[in-house]
Amino acid sequence: MDLHNIRESYNFDSLDTDKVNKDPMVQFQNWFEEYKVLSIKDYNAMAVSTVNAGLPESRIVLLKEIRDEGFVFYTNYASAKGKALAENPNISALFFWREQERQVRISGRVEKLAPKQSKEYFETRPYLSQIGAAASEQSAPIESREALESKFNAFTEQYPEGSAVPMPESWGGYIIRPVKYEFWQGREGRLHDRLIFLKVENAWTISRIQP
Ligand SMILES: Cc1cc2nc3c(=O)[nH]c(=O)nc-3n(C[C@H](O)[C@H](O)[C@H](O)COP(=O)(O)O)c2cc1C
């Protein structure tokens, strides 16, 4: 398939060091708020990439909390990403906000949330999401769809709606503590704006790089 002729031009906005917030987390939140109001399905989706001794792997997860110190998502600690992060806690998170011609790249390290915090969130999840998390050994092979459904059904029988579904021990949140951000704003003629924030001795430096 030849996709050579797909071309877009970008002119929604611009970005410069005098315009950007000096705190990248605030800048992130400013852009996130502007995207959020568009009410696009899964507007809180981000691609997170991990590397261990094997190949790099990326997958979409949902950003569930923005804290002063970082970005929270929830998953299964025994999943492929969980295993990779146990070996190497370095992670990249990527946001693509097409409508505003923006991309934000974040690099940092993860830490697990305290189980109590994960549990608090788990208990707010809809019943079927709780059952799904409890019934699925995320990323482990299973012989068939039927086997998966019967596992799920066994959990719904054991924990009918209205009962407390226990949070699996292997389930919980990670917080990504950023050390680097890149804010990318598409511009005319491929002269895109790219600003890098780097954490150096607890302060953020800002620099511009070429598109
Ligand atoms: C829109 C969307 C949202 C998702 N949200 C999550 C999430 O919050 N947590 C999660 O573990 N997986 C989520 N997934 C599934 C992951 O992309 C992935 O399939 C799963 O986490 C297993 O990844 P792994 O085998 O690399 O560990 C989501 C997928 C999509 C497409």
Side-chain angles (χ1 to χ4, degrees):
M1 192 188 310
D2 175 350
L3 306 172
H4 295 180
N5 289 325
I6 300 179
R7 278 192 194 88
E8 293 287 349
S9 56
Y10 304 104
N11 47 28
F12 177 81
D13 201 359
S14 63
L15 189 63
D16 209 344
T17 42
D18 57 358
K19 175 170 162 182
V20 80
N21 195 292
K22 301 296 175 269
D23 179 343
M25 181 55 95
V26 176
Q27 176 61 32
F28 178 88
Q29 292 191 49
N30 291 345
W31 271 15
F32 188 73
E33 290 290 340
E34 287 179 31
Y35 190 61
K36 184 178 159 190
V37 295
L38 303 181
S39 296
I40 289 166
K41 188 172 181 182
D42 292 327
Y43 65 83
N44 57 332
M46 58 181 179
V48 292
S49 305
T50 52
V51 268
N52 56 3
L55 293 170
E57 288 196 295
S58 303
R59 76 289 284 160
I60 299 290
V61 295
L62 297 178
L63 175 62
K64 284 292 175 176
E65 212 182 310
I66 304 174
R67 300 186 182 177
D68 288 347
E69 66 276 23
F71 302 89
V72 173
F73 68 95
Y74 292 88
T75 192
N76 190 314
Y77 294 138
S79 65
K81 78 182 89 45
K83 286 179 180 154
L85 289 168
E87 267 182 53
N88 178 355
N90 291 333
I91 192 164
S92 148
L94 177 69
F95 297 83
F96 173 41
W97 296 326
R98 177 189 295 111
E99 289 69 17
Q100 287 144 339
E101 303 163 358
R102 289 173 177 165
Q103 168 180 249
V104 182
R105 294 161 76 181
I106 295 165
S107 305
R109 277 180 272 285
V110 289
E111 274 173 33
K112 285 183 183 173
L113 293 190
K116 186 172 167 285
Q117 289 180 31
S118 296
K119 197 160 174 281
E120 274 167 18
Y121 169 65
F122 185 82
E123 286 168 0
T124 68
R125 299 184 86 207
Y127 169 69
L128 288 180
S129 304
Q130 292 183 342
I131 290 286
S136 167
E137 293 159 80
Q138 195 178 54
S139 317
I142 191 157
E143 60 278 16
S144 64
R145 174 83 203 178
E146 290 70 42
L148 182 64
E149 286 179 8
S150 74
K151 224 171 143 202
F152 185 90
N153 292 338
F155 269 86
T156 55
E157 274 165 34
Q158 194 178 353
Y159 303 104
E161 192 149 13
S163 63
V165 181
M167 181 180 84
E169 260 180 40
S170 63
W171 192 91
Y174 286 105
I175 182 162
I176 305 175
R177 295 180 188 278
V179 294
K180 181 181 177 185
Y181 290 73
E182 179 191 326
F183 293 88
W184 184 101
Q185 179 73 60
R187 298 293 304 274
E188 294 276 359
R190 299 292 179 269
L191 281 185
H192 313 304
D193 287 326
R194 300 180 67 190
L195 295 186
I196 302 283
F197 287 72
L198 260 188
K199 202 170 195 178
V200 183
E201 289 167 7
N202 264 338
W204 289 102
T205 63
I206 309 178
S207 57
R208 174 180 285 274
I209 58 172
Q210 300 178 43

